[in-house]
Amino acid sequence: MEGMFYNVTGGYVEGIVRGYRNTLLTGQNYGNLTQCETIDDIKLQLGPAYGDYLASLPPNPSTSSLADKTLDKLVAEFRYVQANATGSLSKFLDYLTYAYMIDNVALLITGTLHERDTRELLERCHPLGWFETLPVLCVATNIEELYNSVLIETPLAPYFKGSLSHQDLDELNIEIIRNTLYKNYLEDFHRFVNEEPGIRGTPTQEVMSEALEFEADRRSINITLNSFGTELSKQERRKLYPNFGRLHPEGTLMLSRAEDAEGVRIAVDGVSDYRDMMDQTGMSGGNSGGGLGNQSGGVGGDTEGKSLEDMFYEREMQIAKMSFTFQFTHAIVYAWVKLREQEIRNITWIAECIAQNQKDRIGNYISVF
Amino acid sequence: MSSGAGREAVFPTRQSLGAMKSKLKGAQIGHDLLKRKSEALTKRFREITKRIDDAKRKMGRVMQIAAFSLAEVTYAVGNSSIGYQITESVKQAKFRVKTRQENVSGVFLPQFESWRVEGVSSDFGMTGLGKGGQQVQKCRETYTRAVETLVELASLQTAFVILDEVIKVVNRRVNAIEHVIIPRTENTIKYINSELDELDREEFFRLKKVKGVKERAKAEEDAERSKKARRESDKENEQNGEGKNVLGDEGDEDVIF
C-alpha cells in the first residue's frame, strides 16, 4: 500500500540506482581482477565498469590515484541521484553525506588546531562530504572563531550543539570529537528514518533501522575494542556509544565496563550475530592477537584469522545486499553507496596486493554479488 | 722509475747512511703494523658486508610487510586522510636514535642505536577509534620494526662506507711503503754504500798515488843527492890535485876571541 505512490517521487531515482547496482563488480569480475599481473591489467579489466573515469590515468598508475578515480565515479553518480531527488529522498541523501562531512570537518579542525594552512586540506576532503560552506572553515584561524562563527553555519551545527563547546574542541582529542559527532549523527539519522512523515511506516524505516542499528553496534564494539590501552576513560567512552541499536541499553552498559576483549564478548552475548562474530575471530579465547589480522582465507572460505572488522564489513555488505530485495525504499541508495565504497576498497586492496606482489592475501576482498 | 727504485737526494755520507738505515727499519715496522691493521679492518669489513646483506634482505621483507599493513589500514579505514590525522596528532617522537662510537683498530665507527622514549604515550592511540583502530596500531608496530631495521642498516652502511675509505687509505699506505719507500730507501742505502766504497777506493788510490809520488820524489832526491855527492867528491879530488890548502881552512873566518 505504501508503495503505491512511491514511484511518483522516487521511482526514477530508484530505477537509476538499481541500474547502478547492476554495474557493480561481480565475483566473476573480481576473479578476473585477481588474475592480473600489473595495475594496467586491472585498469583494463575495470574498463567496462569504469571506462571514462580511468581513461585519464597514466600508464601504471598508483593505487591511490586508481582509488581516487573510482571514487570520482561514485561521486558523479551520487551527485546525479542527488540532483534528481525530491522530498524526503533528498533529505535522506543529505543525511548520507553528513557522515563524510563529519570526517571533513574533523580534518579541518585538526588543521586549525595545529595552525596549518587549511586550504591545502580542502583537497584531501572527501568529495561526498563537500558542502558549500566547507571552504569557509578555512577562514577561521583559531578554534573559538571556528566554533562561534563558522561551524554554526554548517549542516553539522546541530551535532555540535549541546554536546561540544568550543573549549572541548581545543582540549578533547579530535577522535573523541569525531566520534561524538558521529554518535549524534547516527542518532539523528535514526530518528529521521523513524519519525519523518514520508518515511515512517515504509520499508525504508525497516531497512534503514536495521542498517543504522548495525552501524551503531559496530561503532560501539569498535570503539570499545580500540580504546583498550589508550587514555580514553570508561566514562568518556560511554558517551560515544550511540543510544540505540540492538546492544542498547544493556549491551552498551556492559561494553562501557568492559576492560578487555573477553568483557566485550560477554557484553555482546545477548545478540547472537555479534556473539558468533566474536567466536569466529577467536577473541573469546582471550587470543586477541588473532583478531588483529586481516582475513586470511577467501570469502566464504575458512574464517580462521578473520578480523572482527572484516566480519563487520561482510555483515554490512549483507545488509546492503538484502536492501535490494525491498522495493519502494530510499534504503537502496544507502545500500548502493555502501556497496560501492566496499567495491572501491576491494579494488584498492587488489591493486595494492598486485603492486606489492603479495598475491597470497589477494583473496581478502569482499565480493557481494 | 716505475718501481720507485729511485733514490733520495742525500749526500752519501756515513751520517745519512745511518739515518737511512733507521728509516728503513722504521718503514719495515710501519709496514708490518699497517698490514696488520689493514687485515683487521678487512676482517671487520667482510663481517659488516655480510651483516649488511642480511639486514638488507630483512629490510626488504619488513618494509614489504609494513607497506602492506598500511594498505590494510587504508582498506579498513576507507579514506586516505588518515595519514594526515596521524602526523598532526603526534607531538613528540617516541622512537629516537642515538649514536655512539666504536673503535676498530683506530677507526671510529658511528653506531646508531634506536630506543623508545617511555614517557611518550601513543598520541594517535585513538586514531581510527570508530573503525580501523586495530589496523592502525598494527601498522604502527610493523613500521616501528621497519624503522628499527633501517636504523640498524644505517649504522652498518655508515660503517661500511667509513671502513671502505679507511681500508683504501691503509692499503695505499701499505703499498706505498712496500713498493716505494722501502725500495727507495734500500736503493739509497745501496747508493750510499757504493759511493762510500768508491770514496774508500779513491782514497786508497789517492794514497797510493801520493805514496808513489812521494817515493818517486824521494828516489829522485836520493839519486840527485848521490849524484851531487859523487860530483863533490870528484871536485874535491880535483882541488886536492891543484894544491889546495891542505888544511882546508881557507874558508874559515877568523875567530875573534
Side-chain angles (χ1 to χ4, degrees), chain A residues 105 109-110 112-113 137 140-152 157 159-174 177 180-181:
Chain A
V105 168
I109 290 176
T110 317
T112 315
L113 276 178
L137 283 175
T141 48
N142 61 48
I143 212 73
E144 198 176 338
E145 203 179 299
L146 184 76
Y147 186 81
N148 285 335
S149 54
V150 187
L151 281 178
I152 298 302
Y159 305 143
F160 278 95
K161 207 167 76 184
S163 56
L164 291 166
S165 68
H166 70 83
Q167 280 97 350
D168 287 345
L169 284 189
D170 223 355
E171 287 159 8
L172 286 175
N173 190 304
I174 186 69
I177 296 172
T180 311
L181 289 178

mmCIF file of all heavy atoms in Angstrom, chain A residues 105 109-110 112-113 137 140-152 157 159-174 177 180-181:
data_model
loop_
_atom_site.group_PDB
_atom_site.id
_atom_site.type_symbol
_atom_site.label_atom_id
_atom_site.label_comp_id
_atom_site.label_asym_id
_atom_site.label_seq_id
_atom_site.Cartn_x
_atom_site.Cartn_y
_atom_site.Cartn_z
ATOM 1 N N VAL A 105 35.090 17.846 8.407
ATOM 2 C CA VAL A 105 35.170 18.886 9.430
ATOM 3 C C VAL A 105 36.232 18.516 10.462
ATOM 4 O O VAL A 105 37.039 19.354 10.884
ATOM 5 C CB VAL A 105 33.785 19.094 10.083
ATOM 6 C CG1 VAL A 105 33.908 19.954 11.325
ATOM 7 C CG2 VAL A 105 32.838 19.750 9.089
ATOM 8 N N ILE A 109 39.337 20.726 11.462
ATOM 9 C CA ILE A 109 39.577 21.134 12.850
ATOM 10 C C ILE A 109 40.998 20.755 13.250
ATOM 11 O O ILE A 109 41.710 21.536 13.883
ATOM 12 C CB ILE A 109 38.541 20.479 13.791
ATOM 13 C CG1 ILE A 109 37.162 21.091 13.544
ATOM 14 C CG2 ILE A 109 38.937 20.686 15.240
ATOM 15 C CD1 ILE A 109 36.070 20.447 14.357
ATOM 16 N N THR A 110 41.421 19.541 12.854
ATOM 17 C CA THR A 110 42.798 19.136 13.126
ATOM 18 C C THR A 110 43.769 20.161 12.567
ATOM 19 O O THR A 110 44.723 20.567 13.234
ATOM 20 C CB THR A 110 43.082 17.766 12.479
ATOM 21 O OG1 THR A 110 41.974 16.928 12.701
ATOM 22 C CG2 THR A 110 44.333 17.156 13.058
ATOM 23 N N THR A 112 43.200 23.333 11.825
ATOM 24 C CA THR A 112 43.117 24.614 12.524
ATOM 25 C C THR A 112 43.815 24.536 13.880
ATOM 26 O O THR A 112 44.514 25.458 14.284
ATOM 27 C CB THR A 112 41.646 25.012 12.732
ATOM 28 O OG1 THR A 112 40.945 24.779 11.513
ATOM 29 C CG2 THR A 112 41.521 26.461 13.117
ATOM 30 N N LEU A 113 43.609 23.414 14.565
ATOM 31 C CA LEU A 113 44.234 23.244 15.878
ATOM 32 C C LEU A 113 45.746 23.352 15.786
ATOM 33 O O LEU A 113 46.393 23.907 16.655
ATOM 34 C CB LEU A 113 43.872 21.881 16.458
ATOM 35 C CG LEU A 113 42.554 21.760 17.197
ATOM 36 C CD1 LEU A 113 42.358 20.328 17.653
ATOM 37 C CD2 LEU A 113 42.551 22.695 18.392
ATOM 38 N N LEU A 137 35.373 27.274 6.413
ATOM 39 C CA LEU A 137 36.042 26.787 7.620
ATOM 40 C C LEU A 137 37.512 27.192 7.632
ATOM 41 O O LEU A 137 38.120 27.336 8.683
ATOM 42 C CB LEU A 137 35.949 25.263 7.698
ATOM 43 C CG LEU A 137 34.621 24.668 8.132
ATOM 44 C CD1 LEU A 137 34.682 23.158 8.032
ATOM 45 C CD2 LEU A 137 34.294 25.078 9.537
ATOM 46 N N ALA A 140 38.610 30.650 9.434
ATOM 47 C CA ALA A 140 38.860 30.729 10.869
ATOM 48 C C ALA A 140 40.313 30.397 11.159
ATOM 49 O O ALA A 140 40.862 29.444 10.612
ATOM 50 C CB ALA A 140 37.950 29.763 11.601
ATOM 51 N N THR A 141 40.914 31.209 12.017
ATOM 52 C CA THR A 141 42.305 30.945 12.342
ATOM 53 C C THR A 141 42.448 30.360 13.732
ATOM 54 O O THR A 141 43.412 29.684 14.019
ATOM 55 C CB THR A 141 43.140 32.233 12.252
ATOM 56 O OG1 THR A 141 42.443 33.248 12.967
ATOM 57 C CG2 THR A 141 43.357 32.658 10.827
ATOM 58 N N ASN A 142 41.494 30.629 14.617
ATOM 59 C CA ASN A 142 41.559 29.952 15.906
ATOM 60 C C ASN A 142 40.257 29.221 16.178
ATOM 61 O O ASN A 142 39.253 29.413 15.490
ATOM 62 C CB ASN A 142 41.897 30.933 17.036
ATOM 63 C CG ASN A 142 40.833 32.004 17.160
ATOM 64 O OD1 ASN A 142 39.640 31.711 17.177
ATOM 65 N ND2 ASN A 142 41.257 33.249 17.227
ATOM 66 N N ILE A 143 40.336 28.393 17.179
ATOM 67 C CA ILE A 143 39.270 27.424 17.363
ATOM 68 C C ILE A 143 37.981 28.083 17.846
ATOM 69 O O ILE A 143 36.888 27.644 17.513
ATOM 70 C CB ILE A 143 39.771 26.318 18.323
ATOM 71 C CG1 ILE A 143 39.127 24.989 17.961
ATOM 72 C CG2 ILE A 143 39.580 26.668 19.764
ATOM 73 C CD1 ILE A 143 39.677 24.402 16.703
ATOM 74 N N GLU A 144 38.121 29.166 18.602
ATOM 75 C CA GLU A 144 36.929 29.833 19.116
ATOM 76 C C GLU A 144 36.135 30.467 17.979
ATOM 77 O O GLU A 144 34.914 30.332 17.881
ATOM 78 C CB GLU A 144 37.349 30.887 20.137
ATOM 79 C CG GLU A 144 36.211 31.318 21.033
ATOM 80 C CD GLU A 144 36.692 32.281 22.080
ATOM 81 O OE1 GLU A 144 37.903 32.280 22.377
ATOM 82 O OE2 GLU A 144 35.870 33.050 22.581
ATOM 83 N N GLU A 145 36.891 31.115 17.119
ATOM 84 C CA GLU A 145 36.283 31.729 15.942
ATOM 85 C C GLU A 145 35.597 30.665 15.095
ATOM 86 O O GLU A 145 34.473 30.837 14.632
ATOM 87 C CB GLU A 145 37.406 32.396 15.150
ATOM 88 C CG GLU A 145 36.985 33.515 14.235
ATOM 89 C CD GLU A 145 38.213 34.070 13.571
ATOM 90 O OE1 GLU A 145 39.107 34.558 14.280
ATOM 91 O OE2 GLU A 145 38.303 33.968 12.331
ATOM 92 N N LEU A 146 36.307 29.559 14.943
ATOM 93 C CA LEU A 146 35.787 28.449 14.148
ATOM 94 C C LEU A 146 34.446 28.002 14.716
ATOM 95 O O LEU A 146 33.479 27.815 13.993
ATOM 96 C CB LEU A 146 36.785 27.289 14.178
ATOM 97 C CG LEU A 146 36.461 26.069 13.338
ATOM 98 C CD1 LEU A 146 36.742 26.365 11.880
ATOM 99 C CD2 LEU A 146 37.290 24.875 13.770
ATOM 100 N N TYR A 147 34.411 27.880 16.040
ATOM 101 C CA TYR A 147 33.209 27.363 16.668
ATOM 102 C C TYR A 147 32.068 28.372 16.591
ATOM 103 O O TYR A 147 30.955 28.035 16.201
ATOM 104 C CB TYR A 147 33.517 27.029 18.123
ATOM 105 C CG TYR A 147 32.369 26.349 18.825
ATOM 106 C CD1 TYR A 147 32.154 24.987 18.665
ATOM 107 C CD2 TYR A 147 31.510 27.067 19.643
ATOM 108 C CE1 TYR A 147 31.112 24.366 19.306
ATOM 109 C CE2 TYR A 147 30.462 26.437 20.290
ATOM 110 C CZ TYR A 147 30.267 25.086 20.117
ATOM 111 O OH TYR A 147 29.234 24.464 20.750
ATOM 112 N N ASN A 148 32.386 29.623 16.960
ATOM 113 C CA ASN A 148 31.306 30.598 17.104
ATOM 114 C C ASN A 148 30.729 31.061 15.786
ATOM 115 O O ASN A 148 29.538 31.301 15.679
ATOM 116 C CB ASN A 148 31.815 31.817 17.882
ATOM 117 C CG ASN A 148 31.930 31.488 19.348
ATOM 118 O OD1 ASN A 148 31.237 30.604 19.825
ATOM 119 N ND2 ASN A 148 32.815 32.171 20.036
ATOM 120 N N SER A 149 31.570 31.243 14.801
ATOM 121 C CA SER A 149 31.032 31.861 13.595
ATOM 122 C C SER A 149 30.967 30.931 12.398
ATOM 123 O O SER A 149 30.211 31.176 11.471
ATOM 124 C CB SER A 149 31.863 33.096 13.235
ATOM 125 O OG SER A 149 33.205 32.732 13.154
ATOM 126 N N VAL A 150 31.717 29.879 12.393
ATOM 127 C CA VAL A 150 31.768 29.076 11.184
ATOM 128 C C VAL A 150 31.020 27.761 11.309
ATOM 129 O O VAL A 150 30.163 27.434 10.501
ATOM 130 C CB VAL A 150 33.234 28.823 10.764
ATOM 131 C CG1 VAL A 150 33.267 28.130 9.422
ATOM 132 C CG2 VAL A 150 33.998 30.130 10.698
ATOM 133 N N LEU A 151 31.304 27.016 12.360
ATOM 134 C CA LEU A 151 30.684 25.702 12.481
ATOM 135 C C LEU A 151 29.173 25.810 12.583
ATOM 136 O O LEU A 151 28.445 24.928 12.133
ATOM 137 C CB LEU A 151 31.233 24.967 13.701
ATOM 138 C CG LEU A 151 32.598 24.328 13.499
ATOM 139 C CD1 LEU A 151 33.065 23.675 14.779
ATOM 140 C CD2 LEU A 151 32.553 23.291 12.387
ATOM 141 N N ILE A 152 28.723 26.925 13.169
ATOM 142 C CA ILE A 152 27.299 27.137 13.340
ATOM 143 C C ILE A 152 26.591 27.158 11.988
ATOM 144 O O ILE A 152 25.439 26.743 11.861
ATOM 145 C CB ILE A 152 27.053 28.465 14.105
ATOM 146 C CG1 ILE A 152 27.670 28.383 15.490
ATOM 147 C CG2 ILE A 152 25.599 28.809 14.185
ATOM 148 C CD1 ILE A 152 27.160 27.250 16.336
ATOM 149 N N ALA A 157 25.924 21.737 12.447
ATOM 150 C CA ALA A 157 25.781 22.524 13.659
ATOM 151 C C ALA A 157 24.950 21.838 14.746
ATOM 152 O O ALA A 157 25.335 21.862 15.922
ATOM 153 C CB ALA A 157 25.187 23.886 13.328
ATOM 154 N N TYR A 159 24.778 18.882 15.548
ATOM 155 C CA TYR A 159 25.517 17.813 16.218
ATOM 156 C C TYR A 159 26.544 18.386 17.182
ATOM 157 O O TYR A 159 26.948 17.732 18.137
ATOM 158 C CB TYR A 159 26.209 16.901 15.196
ATOM 159 C CG TYR A 159 25.250 16.348 14.179
ATOM 160 C CD1 TYR A 159 25.616 16.175 12.854
ATOM 161 C CD2 TYR A 159 23.955 15.987 14.560
ATOM 162 C CE1 TYR A 159 24.731 15.669 11.927
ATOM 163 C CE2 TYR A 159 23.057 15.490 13.639
ATOM 164 C CZ TYR A 159 23.448 15.336 12.323
ATOM 165 O OH TYR A 159 22.573 14.844 11.420
ATOM 166 N N PHE A 160 26.974 19.607 16.899
ATOM 167 C CA PHE A 160 27.900 20.248 17.827
ATOM 168 C C PHE A 160 27.153 20.764 19.034
ATOM 169 O O PHE A 160 27.618 20.696 20.160
ATOM 170 C CB PHE A 160 28.613 21.437 17.150
ATOM 171 C CG PHE A 160 29.783 21.015 16.314
ATOM 172 C CD1 PHE A 160 29.653 20.815 14.963
ATOM 173 C CD2 PHE A 160 31.023 20.831 16.903
ATOM 174 C CE1 PHE A 160 30.737 20.433 14.201
ATOM 175 C CE2 PHE A 160 32.113 20.453 16.161
ATOM 176 C CZ PHE A 160 31.971 20.254 14.797
ATOM 177 N N LYS A 161 25.978 21.288 18.707
ATOM 178 C CA LYS A 161 25.209 21.972 19.736
ATOM 179 C C LYS A 161 24.867 21.002 20.855
ATOM 180 O O LYS A 161 24.431 19.891 20.624
ATOM 181 C CB LYS A 161 23.926 22.546 19.128
ATOM 182 C CG LYS A 161 23.411 23.757 19.856
ATOM 183 C CD LYS A 161 22.341 24.432 19.023
ATOM 184 C CE LYS A 161 21.023 23.651 19.090
ATOM 185 N NZ LYS A 161 20.001 24.226 18.222
ATOM 186 N N GLY A 162 25.080 21.452 22.056
ATOM 187 C CA GLY A 162 24.649 20.651 23.191
ATOM 188 C C GLY A 162 25.665 19.647 23.674
ATOM 189 O O GLY A 162 25.648 19.283 24.842
ATOM 190 N N SER A 163 26.535 19.178 22.800
ATOM 191 C CA SER A 163 27.467 18.164 23.297
ATOM 192 C C SER A 163 28.920 18.634 23.269
ATOM 193 O O SER A 163 29.760 18.067 23.955
ATOM 194 C CB SER A 163 27.319 16.875 22.498
ATOM 195 O OG SER A 163 27.498 17.127 21.142
ATOM 196 N N LEU A 164 29.177 19.649 22.483
ATOM 197 C CA LEU A 164 30.569 20.091 22.415
ATOM 198 C C LEU A 164 30.623 21.607 22.530
ATOM 199 O O LEU A 164 29.925 22.309 21.814
ATOM 200 C CB LEU A 164 31.214 19.678 21.075
ATOM 201 C CG LEU A 164 31.455 18.186 20.861
ATOM 202 C CD1 LEU A 164 31.756 17.928 19.412
ATOM 203 C CD2 LEU A 164 32.590 17.702 21.737
ATOM 204 N N SER A 165 31.433 22.091 23.423
ATOM 205 C CA SER A 165 31.652 23.524 23.489
ATOM 206 C C SER A 165 32.964 23.834 22.778
ATOM 207 O O SER A 165 33.673 22.924 22.377
ATOM 208 C CB SER A 165 31.733 23.980 24.943
ATOM 209 O OG SER A 165 32.903 23.465 25.521
ATOM 210 N N HIS A 166 33.243 25.139 22.639
ATOM 211 C CA HIS A 166 34.472 25.422 21.901
ATOM 212 C C HIS A 166 35.710 25.084 22.714
ATOM 213 O O HIS A 166 36.759 24.816 22.171
ATOM 214 C CB HIS A 166 34.497 26.871 21.385
ATOM 215 C CG HIS A 166 34.652 27.888 22.454
ATOM 216 N ND1 HIS A 166 35.877 28.223 22.955
ATOM 217 C CD2 HIS A 166 33.745 28.640 23.093
ATOM 218 C CE1 HIS A 166 35.713 29.155 23.883
ATOM 219 N NE2 HIS A 166 34.423 29.427 23.982
ATOM 220 N N GLN A 167 35.538 25.043 24.053
ATOM 221 C CA GLN A 167 36.674 24.580 24.856
ATOM 222 C C GLN A 167 36.965 23.105 24.570
ATOM 223 O O GLN A 167 38.107 22.678 24.532
ATOM 224 C CB GLN A 167 36.407 24.750 26.349
ATOM 225 C CG GLN A 167 36.619 26.151 26.871
ATOM 226 C CD GLN A 167 35.312 26.918 26.938
ATOM 227 O OE1 GLN A 167 34.298 26.451 26.412
ATOM 228 N NE2 GLN A 167 35.350 28.082 27.563
ATOM 229 N N ASP A 168 35.872 22.365 24.372
ATOM 230 C CA ASP A 168 36.044 20.949 24.076
ATOM 231 C C ASP A 168 36.863 20.747 22.818
ATOM 232 O O ASP A 168 37.714 19.869 22.730
ATOM 233 C CB ASP A 168 34.676 20.273 23.891
ATOM 234 C CG ASP A 168 33.963 20.111 25.216
ATOM 235 O OD1 ASP A 168 34.643 20.244 26.245
ATOM 236 O OD2 ASP A 168 32.749 19.868 25.206
ATOM 237 N N LEU A 169 36.589 21.599 21.818
ATOM 238 C CA LEU A 169 37.302 21.461 20.554
ATOM 239 C C LEU A 169 38.795 21.581 20.783
ATOM 240 O O LEU A 169 39.605 20.930 20.145
ATOM 241 C CB LEU A 169 36.863 22.540 19.563
ATOM 242 C CG LEU A 169 35.524 22.367 18.893
ATOM 243 C CD1 LEU A 169 35.369 23.392 17.795
ATOM 244 C CD2 LEU A 169 35.384 20.985 18.320
ATOM 245 N N ASP A 170 39.130 22.465 21.721
ATOM 246 C CA ASP A 170 40.535 22.724 21.967
ATOM 247 C C ASP A 170 41.184 21.602 22.755
ATOM 248 O O ASP A 170 42.315 21.212 22.511
ATOM 249 C CB ASP A 170 40.661 24.038 22.744
ATOM 250 C CG ASP A 170 41.777 24.881 22.196
ATOM 251 O OD1 ASP A 170 42.474 24.358 21.300
ATOM 252 O OD2 ASP A 170 41.940 26.010 22.640
ATOM 253 N N GLU A 171 40.416 21.083 23.712
ATOM 254 C CA GLU A 171 41.036 20.192 24.687
ATOM 255 C C GLU A 171 40.894 18.718 24.330
ATOM 256 O O GLU A 171 41.804 17.931 24.541
ATOM 257 C CB GLU A 171 40.411 20.430 26.068
ATOM 258 C CG GLU A 171 40.858 21.742 26.678
ATOM 259 C CD GLU A 171 39.910 22.215 27.754
ATOM 260 O OE1 GLU A 171 39.005 21.442 28.120
ATOM 261 O OE2 GLU A 171 40.082 23.349 28.218
ATOM 262 N N LEU A 172 39.740 18.380 23.792
ATOM 263 C CA LEU A 172 39.494 16.968 23.568
ATOM 264 C C LEU A 172 40.283 16.466 22.373
ATOM 265 O O LEU A 172 40.622 17.213 21.455
ATOM 266 C CB LEU A 172 38.005 16.719 23.325
ATOM 267 C CG LEU A 172 37.108 16.796 24.548
ATOM 268 C CD1 LEU A 172 35.665 16.643 24.113
ATOM 269 C CD2 LEU A 172 37.477 15.711 25.534
ATOM 270 N N ASN A 173 40.564 15.198 22.424
ATOM 271 C CA ASN A 173 41.186 14.559 21.285
ATOM 272 C C ASN A 173 40.236 14.629 20.092
ATOM 273 O O ASN A 173 39.028 14.461 20.239
ATOM 274 C CB ASN A 173 41.475 13.106 21.646
ATOM 275 C CG ASN A 173 42.333 12.438 20.626
ATOM 276 O OD1 ASN A 173 42.006 12.402 19.453
ATOM 277 N ND2 ASN A 173 43.445 11.923 21.074
ATOM 278 N N ILE A 174 40.816 14.877 18.937
ATOM 279 C CA ILE A 174 39.993 15.033 17.740
ATOM 280 C C ILE A 174 39.163 13.779 17.463
ATOM 281 O O ILE A 174 38.042 13.861 16.963
ATOM 282 C CB ILE A 174 40.879 15.389 16.523
ATOM 283 C CG1 ILE A 174 40.042 15.713 15.297
ATOM 284 C CG2 ILE A 174 41.855 14.287 16.210
ATOM 285 C CD1 ILE A 174 39.278 16.996 15.417
ATOM 286 N N ILE A 177 36.028 14.022 19.447
ATOM 287 C CA ILE A 177 35.107 14.961 18.805
ATOM 288 C C ILE A 177 34.418 14.278 17.631
ATOM 289 O O ILE A 177 33.191 14.308 17.492
ATOM 290 C CB ILE A 177 35.876 16.198 18.311
ATOM 291 C CG1 ILE A 177 36.457 16.940 19.506
ATOM 292 C CG2 ILE A 177 34.967 17.108 17.483
ATOM 293 C CD1 ILE A 177 37.375 18.049 19.123
ATOM 294 N N THR A 180 31.982 11.729 18.815
ATOM 295 C CA THR A 180 30.800 12.349 19.402
ATOM 296 C C THR A 180 29.864 12.826 18.296
ATOM 297 O O THR A 180 28.650 12.588 18.327
ATOM 298 C CB THR A 180 31.201 13.540 20.279
ATOM 299 O OG1 THR A 180 32.248 13.132 21.137
ATOM 300 C CG2 THR A 180 30.035 14.041 21.090
ATOM 301 N N LEU A 181 30.462 13.503 17.330
ATOM 302 C CA LEU A 181 29.658 13.978 16.203
ATOM 303 C C LEU A 181 28.970 12.817 15.512
ATOM 304 O O LEU A 181 27.782 12.876 15.161
ATOM 305 C CB LEU A 181 30.559 14.709 15.187
ATOM 306 C CG LEU A 181 31.107 16.055 15.598
ATOM 307 C CD1 LEU A 181 31.997 16.599 14.507
ATOM 308 C CD2 LEU A 181 29.959 17.018 15.872
#
